[in-house]
Amino acid sequence: MNSIGSLIQHVSGQLNDQQHLLEYSRWTRGMLMDYYAQALAALRQYRMDAFTSTKEIPLVPGARQTAPGFSQVISVTANADGTPAVATDAQMLKAFSQYAHCAPRLQRRNGKLVYAVRSVGIDTQEPNVFYVSPPLPAGMTASVTAVVVTAPRTYTLADWDKPLDFDTKYINQIIDYMQARAYELDIEARTSKMDAERFYTHFYRALGINYKMESAFGSGYYKGQTGTGDPRAVVT
């Protein structure tokens, strides 16, 4: 299962909805694609590491930098040539960024000016923003190696053949969540309700989460609390 479509086909088979010439009769491809997106959103709440990767981020002139396409920068570890970048306070770098027009002291290598980030700070208010020191001078190019989190996105059937975009060590949890959502389609039926709860329990238990208690507390089904949790979980 290397693609989104192959994962959806597997889930459909688990749901006994792959009979010859009647494939996806009960749960359509579009429905299962929605369940896939919802499963990723649920996983993101508890296991951000499932969406992290190491990428090379190009820098723009100045001190303020962004990581387009990513929701969060976890760390900036080094320059593209491997020289380390030291983590420091972002607010301090932000304060000094107003002096970015002042030419930084750069080293020369083989007669050419060479730029390298010496320190970097990640903005706590805008997690996909970070500041570098010295600021990158205009007319120069550079990049850094960073650990980043992929931004949430929407999915359509056009994504059918695209590769899975999460750490596949969590693939069983994604499958469990998708099956739970599928069985909720017939939640009025006792067996379907039991199957949905069973797969939700598998999903949360594998992540080390007390699904019943946490979900009930968040939704207002626990000691009169109000919240936005899952109203399907009722603790009596």
Side-chain angles (χ1 to χ4, degrees):
M1 289 182 288
N2 296 319
S3 67
I4 296 174
S6 62
L7 174 61
I8 288 176
Q9 184 177 26
H10 174 78
V11 171
S12 180
Q14 294 294 101
L15 295 168
N16 294 318
D17 199 22
Q18 282 291 302
Q19 293 86 352
H20 182 56
L21 299 179
L22 295 173
E23 296 89 346
Y24 306 104
S25 297
R26 186 68 183 90
W27 295 276
T28 66
R29 289 177 174 87
M31 292 170 66
L32 293 174
M33 185 68 77
D34 286 341
Y35 297 160
Y36 174 73
Q38 293 167 26
L40 291 185
L43 181 61
R44 184 180 291 273
Q45 284 186 280
Y46 304 103
R47 293 292 184 270
M48 191 70 75
D49 63 288
F51 306 93
T52 60
S53 58
T54 301
K55 299 290 184 181
E56 188 170 311
I57 306 298
L59 303 181
V60 298
R64 188 181 186 274
Q65 309 293 328
T66 61
F70 301 100
S71 62
Q72 184 177 352
V73 178
I74 302 296
S75 63
V76 177
T77 56
N79 291 276
D81 62 2
T83 55
V86 179
T88 190
D89 181 64
Q91 293 304 314
M92 181 180 69
L93 296 183
K94 185 176 182 179
F96 280 98
S97 66
Q98 61 182 308
Y99 302 107
H101 63 279
C102 300
R105 296 178 181 178
L106 301 179
Q107 296 181 344
R108 286 185 177 274
R109 188 178 300 164
N110 298 326
K112 294 183 179 180
L113 290 175
V114 177
Y115 172 85
V117 173
R118 290 194 289 270
S119 57
V120 58
I122 299 171
D123 196 320
T124 56
Q125 302 299 317
E126 297 180 89
N128 72 328
V129 172
F130 61 98
Y131 292 83
V132 298
S133 178
L136 178 65
M140 297 191 73
T141 59
S143 60
V144 292
T145 302
V147 178
V148 292
V149 179
T150 305
R153 48 163 299 206
T154 57
Y155 294 87
T156 68
L157 291 179
D159 298 309
W160 188 266
D161 294 321
K162 291 184 178 178
L164 298 174
D165 47 1
F166 63 93
D167 189 332
T168 53
K169 71 181 181 182
Y170 295 108
I171 194 167
N172 289 332
Q173 286 70 60
I174 294 297
I175 292 171
D176 285 339
Y177 195 95
M178 291 176 66
Q179 290 185 87
R181 288 290 293 113
Y183 281 118
E184 281 189 316
L185 192 63
D186 297 317
I187 200 66
E188 294 82 4
R190 180 175 176 81
T191 55
S192 293
K193 181 178 181 180
M194 291 174 62
D195 284 335
E197 290 185 352
R198 176 165 58 88
F199 283 112
Y200 276 125
T201 299
H202 288 171
F203 173 83
Y204 287 102
R205 184 175 292 165
L207 300 181
I209 300 161
N210 187 333
Y211 164 63
K212 282 287 187 180
M213 186 60 73
E214 177 175 298
S215 193
F217 182 86
S219 63
Y221 282 80
Y222 183 68
K223 293 186 178 180
Q225 299 292 321
T226 57
T228 57
D230 192 336
R232 293 170 298 214
V234 181
V235 176
T236 58

